[in-house]
Amino acid sequence: MDFSLNQDQQDIREAVLKHCSQFPDEYWLEKDRSGEFPFEFHKSMAEAGWLGVAMPEAVGGAGLGITEAAVMMQAVAESGGGMTAASAIHGPVFGLEPVTLFGTEEQQKRMIPPILSGEEKMCFAVTEPNTGLDTTSLMTRAEKVPGGYRVNGEKIWITNAHVADRMLLIARTTPLEEVKKKTEGLTLFYCKIDRKSVEHRLIPKMGRHAVGSNMLFITDLFIPEEDRIGEEGQGFKILLQGLNPERVLLGAEATGLGRVAIRKASKYAQERVVFGRPIGQNQGIQHPLAKAWMQVEAASLMVFKAATLFDKGLECGTEANAAKYLAAEAGFEACQTAVMSMGGMGYAQEYHVERYLREVMIPRIAPVSPHQIMNYIAERVLELPRSY
Ligand SMILES: Cc1cc2nc3c(=O)[nH]c(=O)nc-3n(C[C@H](O)[C@H](O)[C@H](O)COP(=O)(O)OP(=O)(O)OC[C@H]3O[C@@H](n4cnc5c(N)ncnc54)[C@H](O)[C@@H]3O)c2cc1C
């Protein structure tokens, strides 16, 4: 049992923090105000080779594990970039895992390098307005036509769909009434977003304004056969393979955000003098920050436990779910404590923590809600009966 980062992982952390220091707090504040995608940041991370940290060397990646990807994403969020920086590059870092695991060699060579180089952007189109977390009931339909599929349906909350060139899309190829299990008959595609057939509408939302999320209206989108990932009808099983690494990375991002929030608040509490002494000399300020620090660091341990299990090829569903839950809740507590520790200035944009508080709601809600994680632990770990 070793709880420390090895030298290579420590080097990744330091290099990423150094790289991200080119993008100071003011950059992220300005992006949040303008709502403009952080193109410069995305490009610089691609050019420095970071997007391929966990992708195979054969397709231009570094061939490292989810542990290294988690080290990197934690540092990205912790640099002050928060969820805006993390979500700008989150897709390329893990999103093409289904292509590496189930794609043909031709697909891997065609699909992955343009994403790692930053030439193309991608998004992840799973959630639907009428079915939500009940993913296997999704209603987007892909009908077989000569040479490929014709797709019709709606998706919601699709992050980066407005700037993306391609999407990883799940759709039903066999109607629900004709399958034995709801998990069957769903198919995964990685396809071009043909804007003539895919209309997007940005969703006005609470935070992370520079990285938009969209409603998608898909009408008669033609997807060629060669863009189907894996076998027809196996899409849900394929998608499941990517869920654990995604939870690990979101957990890493949430703890990074928690860390930077605590750091900002502690610095402010050392400097702000009221009643003739720094506010940080009061235990009423110290203790909540100390508690938030302990919660964030404990959650970070669960994140790296899940990452280590995944990289060793061991079962990690429980730990990955627990890590995402603990990290998001600890990150939220840290951001909220930071705002409250700084009084009025905690609420001012120029002190940044109000932005973190708005952003930390994202890893709490997505890609799976805290309720669903508790359902998972109750059923799978505690062996309690399914409640729904
Ligand atoms: C900023 C943001 C970005 C996102 N990006 C993407 C993206 O890029 N791609 C994508 O596909 N999706 C994305 N999502 C969608 C996200 O994954 C979903 O919002 C999330 O999975 C919850 O689904 P829902 O909103 O449909 O909630 P619903 O399924 O409508 O559930 C609503 C609430 O009811 C609770 N609930 C439902 N059933 C139960 C039950 N049985 N027991 C207990 N509680 C229950 C849920 O936990 C939840 O809190 C994003 C969401 C946000 C907010």
Side-chain angles (χ1 to χ4, degrees), residues 124 126-127 132-133 157-159 213 365-367 369 371-372 375 388:
F124 205 63
V126 178
T127 309
L133 285 160
W157 284 114
I158 311 310
T159 298
S213 297
I365 297 169
S369 68
H371 317 109
Q372 280 302 84
N375 286 339
Y388 56 99

Side-chain angles (χ1 to χ4, degrees), residues 62-80:
L64 298 170
I66 284 299
T67 307
E68 284 74 20
V71 169
M72 167 183 149
M73 295 308 277
Q74 189 176 53
V76 163
E78 192 179 332
S79 74

Side-chain angles (χ1 to χ4, degrees), residues 87 123-135 155-161 168 205 207-208 211-214 246 361-363 365-373 375 379 386-388:
S87 303
C123 65
F124 205 63
V126 178
T127 309
E128 297 199 357
N130 297 320
T131 48
L133 285 160
D134 187 6
T135 310
K155 297 281 174 183
I156 193 167
W157 284 114
I158 311 310
T159 298
N160 288 330
L168 194 71
K205 58 184 180 2
R208 204 194 61 183
V211 179
S213 297
N214 302 263
E246 186 184 26
M361 293 304 288
I362 297 172
I365 297 169
V368 59
S369 68
H371 317 109
Q372 280 302 84
I373 292 182
N375 286 339
E379 287 163 34
R386 191 179 168 101
S387 59
Y388 56 99

Side-chain angles (χ1 to χ4, degrees), residues 11 20 31 61 72 78 128 176 199 216 245 271 278 333 366 368:
D11 290 347
C20 291
K31 289 290 173 192
M72 167 183 149
E78 192 179 332
E128 297 199 357
L176 206 48
E199 185 199 335
L216 292 187
E271 291 166 0
E333 193 62 35
V368 59

Side-chain angles (χ1 to χ4, degrees), residues 96-104 107-108 110-111 149 167-169 186-191 223-236 238-239:
L96 290 179
E97 189 92 356
V99 181
T100 64
L101 294 175
F102 296 91
T104 62
Q107 286 178 325
Q108 294 182 13
R110 174 163 56 92
M111 295 171 171
Y149 296 82
M167 61 180 162
L168 194 71
L169 171 81
L186 294 164
T187 301
L188 197 64
F189 302 94
Y190 182 64
C191 61
I223 302 182
E225 185 104 33
E226 60 263 27
D227 286 355
R228 190 189 71 222
I229 307 301
E231 282 175 43
E232 186 178 299
Q234 298 298 307
F236 189 72
I238 297 174
L239 201 64

Side-chain angles (χ1 to χ4, degrees), residues 122-182:
M122 66 163 295
C123 65
F124 205 63
V126 178
T127 309
E128 297 199 357
N130 297 320
T131 48
L133 285 160
D134 187 6
T135 310
T136 53
S137 297
L138 62 81
M139 292 151 97
T140 295
R141 188 81 177 89
E143 268 177 89
K144 196 95 184 71
V145 292
Y149 296 82
R150 188 175 42 235
V151 181
N152 284 281
E154 291 179 6
K155 297 281 174 183
I156 193 167
W157 284 114
I158 311 310
T159 298
N160 288 330
H162 58 309
V163 290
D165 306 277
R166 290 180 179 269
M167 61 180 162
L168 194 71
L169 171 81
I170 188 158
R172 186 158 278 290
T173 35
T174 309
L176 206 48
E177 314 77 74
E178 294 172 26
V179 291
K180 283 201 206 99
K181 285 199 233 153
K182 281 175 84 178

